[in-house]
Amino acid sequence: MKRLLVVVVLLSLMLLMRSFQAHTDAAHNVITLAAIGFVVLTTFAVADMGTRLSLPRVTGFIVTGVALGPSAANILSHEVVTEMRMFNTLALGLIATSAGLELSSKAILPLLKTLGSTTAVKVLVGAPLVGATLFAASHFIDMGVTTFESRAALATVIGVLSIGTSPSIALAILTETRAKGRLSDLVLGAAVFKDLVVVVCLAVGVAAAAAILDPSGSIDASVLVHVGRELAGSLIAGAALGAILIAYVRFIQAEMLLFVAAMILVVAELCQVFHLELLLVFISAGFTVRNFSPYEHQLLKPLELVALPVFVVFFTIAGASIQLSTAWAIMPAAAAVCLVRAAVYWAAASVGNTVGRESRDIKRNAWLAYLPQAGVTLGLVGIAAQRLPILGPQITTTGMAIVAINLLVGPITLRLALARAGEIPGVAGHATGSSSTARTTLPNHATQTPTTRLSEALERHVTEVQASTRASFFAVWDSLNGSASEQPDEPTQDERLSVVRAYRTSVKDWYEDWTAALLSLPIEVNVARPLSSLAPRSGDRRGLRFRLWSQRVWWGLSEHFRSRSVPVRLCARMTIELTVAKVAVQLFDAALKRRFAPMLSVASDTDRASRMQQELDRAVNEFARLLGSSRTARMRSRDLNFSVIEPHVRAQIAHLDETRDEMHAARAGALWGSEVAQRYVDELRRSVNGLLGMHLSGPTRAAISLTTAAIGRLVDDLSELGRNMQSSSSLELMRVAQHEFNQAQLRVLDALSQCIPRALHGVRELGSALRNDIERLPTELRCYQLFESVTEPQGTIRRVNLREIAETQLSRRLMPTLDQSARTLANAFVHLPSTVKACLEPASLLLEASSDDVTGWVGVRQRLQASSSRLTTLCESMISQVEEEIDRQEVSTLASLDALEREVSTSQLLGETTTHRLRHRLGQLARHLRPSFDLRKPEQAGSPDARELLLVTSRWLHPSVGRDATGWFSQQPVRDERIYSDCAKTLERVRQLESGWREGKRVAVMVSGEVGSGKTSLTAQYVRARTA
Amino acid sequence: MNVTLLLVALVVFAFVFGQLLHRLVARHVSLSGAEYLLVGVLIGPHLPPRLMSEASLVRLVPVMHLLLGLVGFLVGLRLKHSLKGGRGVLVGISTTLVTFGVVATASTSLATMLLRADGPPVFNQILFGGSGWVFELYASRSHLLVGAAIGVVATVSSSGLLLGLGDSLKLKSATFDVLRSTAALGQLFAICAMGAVLALSREPPTLPVEGFGRWIWLLAAMALGLICGGCFTLFIGKEEGQSRIFLATVGTVTFAAGTGATLEVSPLLINLIAGLTVSMLSSHATVLLQELDRLQHPIFVLLLILAGAYWSPVSGTAWWFPVAYIAARLATVWMSAWVFTSWFTRDPFANRVGAGLIVQGTLAVSVAVDYALGTSQYGAEVLTAALIGTLAFDITSASGVRRLLVDAEADTLSLTGTRAPSAEKGAEAGL
């Protein structure tokens, strides 16, 4: 009501302003600014009111635009609308950049199948059908085209234009509803992808239309080349723009909003100059930022701030641009075209979703999401009209009318599709209240609180399931741990295979036992339904409230409605089975790790077990919740659908499949390789530390202790000499001093002369010893990625050249550091003798001092004491210097060894992972193609017999081959004579022999051959023929 | 050149120039943002290389109206926080009125001497005379409008600088309160008075009710402001979404500025009242202020650049206007602030309060631009006086404000034993 009041007030003000407008002869329409403000407020208010009718805001914007625009109320005059179009470029740029920022390659790649096939159907079937519809309609409705050629040309262009889906509406609705999920990704991906396709198709379509109109003309290949150039140029320009954006965010990141707006406007002008596709450039730029940098949030933040005003103005202008009178005249034809387009989209979405194996919700609703058309298509209509001036007005009118319908209807259908697919937060899904991202996420029953406390019977079942699941889990855990705790040695491929098979059998048995135990649960249990469970809650939707009300009524009328039947077994399957399958895979994985790489296991066994146990407990809790809410008004019977869970369970169990034994064995080998690599690294660490002690730090410490001892003695001598100075005769002192000091000097210098080269020599010896160690390292070791987060085993096995890594880290990085340290140590010792000599100077003075000169003696004594203390200080500083240097050596050695370990963990990871992924994808492709090739290759082209077929099929066991078909090539005898085609000659020969026997000849027939060669089949066939 | 591209080029050039200026000159001269005026002048149509033509400037007029609207809305939102009661208000009212009176009188006198009258005098009073000479008071309507407009510009003091410094240093001194109140009152007075001047400069509309005359435009502007503010409050309601609040703000300000432009009344005044209404009625005022604070710098920069570009040099004796403006304002503000502060508050820094009110900031330029856009008569003279005055005051006096505030704060805090903020800290805060 308040907003309505605001609208009325603003509308009155606008009308009042028109009458008081100061002057209208200005260079610009002075009311434009007020009109923009009015549009922003009014449109948003109206759109907000529309949301109460469950209409998307975008529809509200468009409807308001239509109502206020020149075709209707004319509050926004034609001039104002024209002036407001200056926002279009900015808006399109912002929308396209935001769309690009939403496109993660990781999210898009899995959609390619669906998108590709959907678009292919739209292009190949949709465009011709829509064109044909328009062609037919033009016979009945006056569309300004009279000749066959002009009708055909118009139909061609409009047919092509019908392919598009609006990225701006898609983004606006996704932003408004905050929808997330597979359908959201599909819609955005489709809108962007089809934008590419429609540009190419339009170029071709316009060329074709021109050729139809002018029979002397022809479609030139240069059209495609030109379009190709434009597209390639746009993509490259977009990538460059993305790089600029990344650089700006990385190095400047100031005034982001202004920068982005300025960039969009400048680039839009450049696009015009260089004939680039504006949308593609910005989508590509956003895509680059999203996928090649971590800065998408810094860019999205300012865009989100202005997104709403931009959407409001953009869509209002789009609505106001619709010429109602013109569109109305050909509305029946446009409506027919839109209906056919919708039908084609339904078919295209069905095909695409089937090919892409999308979930049921997506299959049902995707076509609704593809319907919107808006600004981009309007722009393309303008381009087409410009390129075909003869048909310009007709293309514009028809295109506008069709876009008008899709513009009004599209946002509603898109929102509906997202809501029905359960991708809008806070809106219950159509089918199960579950997410449509069935491939990746599962229904979140945690959000559905039980309507009642569980009855005793149900509680008992929950307890039983929990107890049995726990018990069986711990049993299999213990059994796997028992077999996995053997010490690993170098396993052969066969050994690895046998271990893998044993583990697989254990966990699969556990899974199957658990599913078998489900049979002990009752199918359904009847429990009482209290009236309180039918009370509505705040936030309940109208439909739900109505259901609750009607059930309350029935509850009072009929006994039947006072109880409910709970499908216990189904609930258990829906909630716990997938978790059990996942835990089975985790158990298998943990057992492999424990067996082949116990050192590398990041998590302890207890942690792993408790994590898995918690998962199982959560699933049981979920089971309890589901029991509480199933078959109530809040969750009806049809919402319980195991088919949603089943593909995921199957996918999990497929991880344990026999056909993957070799892959698991290879992974086990890689795990073992990682273990070995870690051992080598540890061994090398020990060796380097030992060598460091033996060759460098050991000798140096010995040298320093020797030097310290020598200097200590010298200090003692000096102190003694000082004490005896007064009591001894000068001659005696002279003798002692001369003797002692000469000896001391010799000892100190001798010690130093020994330790300096030893230190340097030690480094050389350490280097050669290290080289010997490194040469023993393997050059190729298959390792497994150590990070827990990576779950795809096939993508994480890599080859590690341990020797090369060690060579780089130790010889090239560590050794120069050690050499430098040794030199520093040597320098410390080199300067020592001169310092010691300087300290001894007082002693030589002593020899010259006169015994009678008391003053001279006192001075000499003081000098001796000073020398003594200097030597002590020197000794201490030297010790600390050398200790420091040794510590530094050890630190750098440790750093090098850590770097080595890191490099072993991560080397070649990126390249290898990419290669493995590529190889995996190529492998998948090859597996698809192989059967066709094998069956068609020259040697098979004649008439392959069963054995040959068996050989072929045994190599390409593929899930797409049905059970019946694989049965044809199995080892079992053929019972069905229709498919018995082998050994016709042999059978004939037996028949001949039988005829001979019947004629009295002595005949004995022995059928021999390898296992599976068809002996039993032959005999059975013969007997069957005889019996018949 | 395409108008949008022009705008982009403008912004980019301004930022590059601003950065260079800050790197090269900021060591020697205190920069307050007024340097962007110079940027505008440099790229305007009157100096080579003439990046912008007259025609392109005309196309940017709606943008200028919008920017004025945003400035007015911001001032309106802030007034509630800036206006503290007490004796500071008395100082503010007195200083503002005296400044307006003195500068307006001086400017009107100068206009009477230098500018041609556009019609009969509004008053013509002979005061005294002698044989062959008389001394008379004489002014036409256009002279009075020019004088009033320059007087209005003179009352503006930069509250942005004061508030910025106050926030960063958490100032609590009485001097700061006086300065803040005076600046806020000056801004309020300036915008309202400029609204009145613009209303009076227009011919009255033909209305069924008589008696309002030209004042009807002023009333219309105020009513529009109230309606826009009320609409905003109604529109937002209890909405918490940031983007919706932003949208409503953009819509309201644009609409209010647009109505001002359409009716040729002051968009500043309409938005000021709208902002004031919102700050009084809406619970979102604080959030909104925070949101708009982020946009404040770009808005101010763009407005200063456009104002610089919009300026056209006056000819001949009209250059006396800026000289007289600077002299009159400097003397009046300094003296009146000293006298009234001493009188009302007995602040020990009363003799330096004037120094704190000298800096003018973006609002003075906005008020002048509002006049120049709203009336075609002698807009260049008013804009010249305002731009040169603002440039001179801001470049020479910004550091004085810092010193005054820091000294006053140090004096206040020494009584409580709290550590005083240093002038360097203020400088580090970039103010």
Side-chain angles (χ1 to χ4, degrees), chain A residues 21 47 84 162 233 325 329 386 473 482 484 543 623 651 751 767 786 853 976 990:
Chain A
Q21 195 171 339
M84 281 170 73
S162 70
S325 55
Q386 203 179 355
F473 167 74
F623 169 52
L786 307 182
D853 187 355
D976 189 345
V990 175

Side-chain angles (χ1 to χ4, degrees), chain A residues 80-400:
Chain A
V80 170
V81 172
T82 311
E83 286 194 5
M84 281 170 73
R85 280 202 186 120
M86 70 180 185
F87 284 98
N88 274 8
T89 312
L90 183 66
L92 273 178
L94 287 173
I95 288 166
T97 313
S98 304
L101 285 171
E102 297 286 339
L103 290 178
S104 157
S105 56
K106 280 180 192 164
I108 290 294
L109 281 176
L111 306 175
L112 278 183
K113 260 189 200 173
T114 312
L115 289 181
S117 43
T118 308
T119 312
V121 175
K122 283 177 190 172
V123 172
L124 299 175
V125 182
L129 264 179
V130 169
T133 309
L134 190 78
F135 185 82
S138 65
H139 283 88
F140 306 104
I141 297 160
D142 180 19
M143 298 172 72
V145 281
T146 48
T147 61
F148 175 84
E149 288 79 13
S150 55
R151 279 180 185 145
L154 182 65
T156 308
V157 173
I158 297 296
V160 168
L161 285 172
S162 70
I163 300 169
T165 295
S166 167
S168 46
I169 289 187
L171 192 69
I173 294 284
L174 293 180
T175 309
E176 179 192 325
T177 56
R178 296 193 299 279
K180 289 278 175 207
R182 193 162 174 88
L183 184 58
S184 309
D185 290 344
L186 263 177
V187 173
L188 200 60
V192 174
F193 184 56
K194 280 198 284 181
D195 189 41
L196 265 172
V197 175
V198 81
V199 168
V200 178
C201 291
L202 185 69
V204 178
V206 167
I212 293 168
L213 287 170
D214 179 13
S216 61
S218 61
I219 303 177
D220 196 350
S222 65
V223 173
L224 282 177
V225 174
H226 178 70
V227 172
R229 270 188 199 157
E230 260 189 31
L231 292 181
S234 306
L235 292 174
I236 291 167
L241 186 62
I244 292 171
L245 276 171
I246 292 171
Y248 185 83
V249 179
R250 166 82 178 77
F251 297 109
I252 302 173
Q253 209 183 6
E255 306 293 352
M256 281 299 295
L257 184 58
L258 272 181
F259 175 76
V260 174
M263 180 206 73
I264 286 170
L265 293 170
V266 171
V267 173
E269 290 294 322
L270 292 176
C271 285
Q272 247 182 356
V273 173
F274 294 107
H275 303 291
L276 300 175
E277 270 295 313
L278 180 77
L279 276 174
L280 271 185
V281 171
F282 287 117
I283 287 170
S284 170
F287 182 81
T288 308
V289 175
R290 170 69 194 255
N291 293 285
F292 298 98
S293 81
Y295 301 123
E296 76 263 20
H297 293 294
Q298 282 92 326
L299 198 57
L300 262 178
K301 213 175 166 186
L303 294 183
E304 279 171 358
L305 185 71
V306 294
L308 199 54
V310 164
F311 285 148
V312 169
V313 175
F314 180 75
F315 288 111
T316 310
I317 297 170
S321 304
I322 294 173
Q323 294 166 13
L324 283 181
S325 55
T326 327
W328 191 249
I330 57 160
M331 196 47 80
V337 166
C338 289
L339 280 176
V340 172
R341 178 175 177 263
V344 168
Y345 274 29
W346 176 81
S350 301
V351 172
N353 294 330
T354 309
V355 172
R357 294 183 187 173
E358 299 298 341
S359 68
R360 197 182 53 176
D361 285 342
I362 292 181
K363 276 182 189 167
R364 283 182 183 175
N365 301 308
W367 70 280
L368 288 168
Y370 296 142
L371 291 180
Q373 279 191 311
V376 177
T377 315
L378 278 179
L380 293 175
V381 167
I383 292 171
Q386 203 179 355
R387 290 188 188 163
L388 287 173
I390 306 171
L391 277 180
Q394 290 83 350
I395 291 174
T396 309
T397 312
T398 318
M400 288 279 271

Side-chain angles (χ1 to χ4, degrees), chain A residues 105-107 109-110 785 787 789-798 908-927:
Chain A
S105 56
K106 280 180 192 164
L109 281 176
Q785 159 61 2
F787 303 123
S789 60
V790 178
T791 51
E792 279 186 42
Q794 69 274 23
T796 53
I797 298 170
R798 57 196 159 62
Q908 302 175 8
L909 177 65
L910 193 64
E912 286 286 318
T913 306
T914 313
T915 317
H916 275 287
R917 280 189 185 148
L918 192 63
R919 206 183 298 160
H920 177 63
R921 298 220 180 279
L922 287 174
Q924 277 184 329
L925 188 66
R927 274 198 293 280

Side-chain angles (χ1 to χ4, degrees), chain B residues 200-401:
Chain B
L200 291 173
S201 70
R202 277 197 68 184
E203 288 302 318
T206 314
L207 288 175
V209 186
E210 288 188 1
F212 289 103
R214 290 187 169 90
W215 293 102
I216 189 72
W217 294 117
L218 183 64
L219 290 175
M222 295 174 86
L224 275 173
L226 278 172
I227 292 170
C228 289
C231 281
F232 175 88
T233 312
L234 277 179
F235 187 87
I236 286 296
K238 290 176 183 171
E239 185 61 63
E240 294 294 333
Q242 221 174 27
S243 58
R244 290 189 183 196
I245 295 174
F246 184 75
L247 177 105
T249 313
V250 169
T252 307
V253 172
T254 314
F255 183 73
T259 49
T262 311
L263 301 177
E264 287 193 359
V265 292
S266 168
L268 262 179
L269 178 61
I270 297 178
N271 276 291
L272 172 93
I273 293 174
L276 203 57
T277 314
V278 170
S279 74
M280 298 289 182
L281 298 179
S282 175
S283 55
H284 295 92
T286 315
V287 181
L288 197 56
L289 198 56
Q290 285 167 358
E291 283 293 308
L292 287 179
D293 268 346
R294 289 193 294 164
L295 293 176
Q296 179 180 296
H297 185 66
I299 291 168
F300 283 3
V301 167
L302 208 54
L303 186 66
L304 290 172
I305 295 167
L306 286 174
Y310 197 72
W311 171 75
S312 54
V314 289
S315 55
T317 50
W319 283 103
W320 283 107
F321 277 104
V323 177
Y325 170 75
I326 290 169
R329 182 172 185 272
L330 196 62
T332 317
V333 169
W334 200 291
M335 289 303 295
S336 58
W338 184 359
V339 170
F340 292 120
T341 311
S342 310
W343 193 354
F344 289 118
T345 68
R346 299 184 190 283
D347 191 319
F349 290 90
N351 60 338
R352 289 172 64 188
V353 166
L357 297 172
I358 286 295
V359 177
Q360 293 213 277
T362 314
L363 191 68
V365 178
S366 308
V367 170
V369 170
D370 195 19
Y371 181 80
L373 288 174
T375 177
S376 54
Q377 208 167 32
Y378 301 127
E381 280 73 11
V382 175
L383 200 55
T384 304
L387 295 196
I388 293 177
T390 305
L391 206 57
F393 289 135
D394 284 16
I395 288 177
T396 55
S397 310
S399 57
V401 181

Side-chain angles (χ1 to χ4, degrees), chain A residues 543-603:
Chain A
L544 178 58
R545 279 175 184 272
F546 177 74
R547 281 205 302 276
L548 286 168
W549 173 80
S550 60
Q551 287 192 8
R552 277 203 304 276
V553 172
W554 282 113
W555 192 90
L557 295 175
S558 164
E559 183 70 28
H560 174 69
F561 281 88
R562 289 176 200 162
S563 65
R564 66 187 172 108
S565 168
V566 180
V568 178
R569 199 184 292 175
L570 180 61
C571 288
R573 291 203 77 185
M574 282 192 67
T575 49
I576 315 179
E577 189 166 343
L578 180 58
T579 309
V580 170
K582 280 181 180 171
V583 168
V585 175
Q586 288 172 17
L587 273 172
F588 179 60
D589 188 60
L592 279 185
K593 276 188 185 164
R594 191 180 161 81
R595 168 67 178 82
F596 293 105
M599 269 176 72
L600 302 178
S601 294
V602 177

Side-chain angles (χ1 to χ4, degrees), chain A residues 745-928:
Chain A
Q745 282 179 41
L746 280 174
R747 277 199 297 273
V748 171
L749 292 174
D750 185 45
L752 294 177
S753 65
Q754 284 173 7
C755 73
I756 293 166
R758 199 177 296 160
L760 286 171
H761 186 64
V763 175
R764 283 197 293 276
E765 284 180 355
L766 193 149
S768 65
L770 261 182
R771 268 192 293 281
N772 287 336
D773 281 352
I774 289 169
E775 274 170 17
R776 285 202 295 273
L777 294 174
T779 53
E780 185 173 321
L781 203 58
R782 283 187 174 270
C783 293
Y784 185 68
Q785 159 61 2
L786 307 182
F787 303 123
E788 290 282 337
S789 60
V790 178
T791 51
E792 279 186 42
Q794 69 274 23
T796 53
I797 298 170
R798 57 196 159 62
R799 281 189 295 277
V800 171
N801 188 340
L802 205 55
R803 193 186 295 173
E804 191 187 322
I805 295 169
E807 185 77 27
T808 310
Q809 285 298 334
L810 300 180
S811 298
R812 292 182 204 158
R813 292 189 186 157
L814 176 65
M815 287 312 295
T817 321
L818 291 182
D819 195 47
Q820 185 61 37
S821 295
R823 283 178 198 284
T824 314
L825 282 174
N827 279 338
F829 284 105
V830 162
H831 293 299
L832 191 64
S834 58
T835 319
V836 171
K837 275 178 189 168
C839 293
L840 291 174
E841 201 180 345
S844 57
L845 282 174
L846 176 68
L847 300 175
E848 294 163 12
S850 163
S851 59
D852 300 331
D853 187 355
V854 177
T855 320
W857 279 111
V858 171
V860 168
R861 191 176 173 185
Q862 283 172 349
R863 283 182 169 186
L864 280 174
Q865 281 170 348
S867 300
S868 169
S869 61
R870 273 181 68 193
L871 274 176
T872 311
T873 315
L874 174 73
C875 189
E876 283 168 356
S877 76
M878 192 164 160
I879 288 170
S880 67
Q881 191 183 354
V882 170
E883 289 289 345
E884 208 173 275
E885 201 56 45
I886 290 171
D887 283 349
R888 202 175 297 147
Q889 283 172 10
E890 284 174 355
V891 167
S892 64
T893 312
L894 278 175
S896 292
L897 289 168
D898 287 343
L900 167 69
E901 197 173 350
R902 266 199 311 278
E903 199 172 338
V904 168
S905 297
T906 57
S907 72
Q908 302 175 8
L909 177 65
L910 193 64
E912 286 286 318
T913 306
T914 313
T915 317
H916 275 287
R917 280 189 185 148
L918 192 63
R919 206 183 298 160
H920 177 63
R921 298 220 180 279
L922 287 174
Q924 277 184 329
L925 188 66
R927 274 198 293 280
H928 278 93

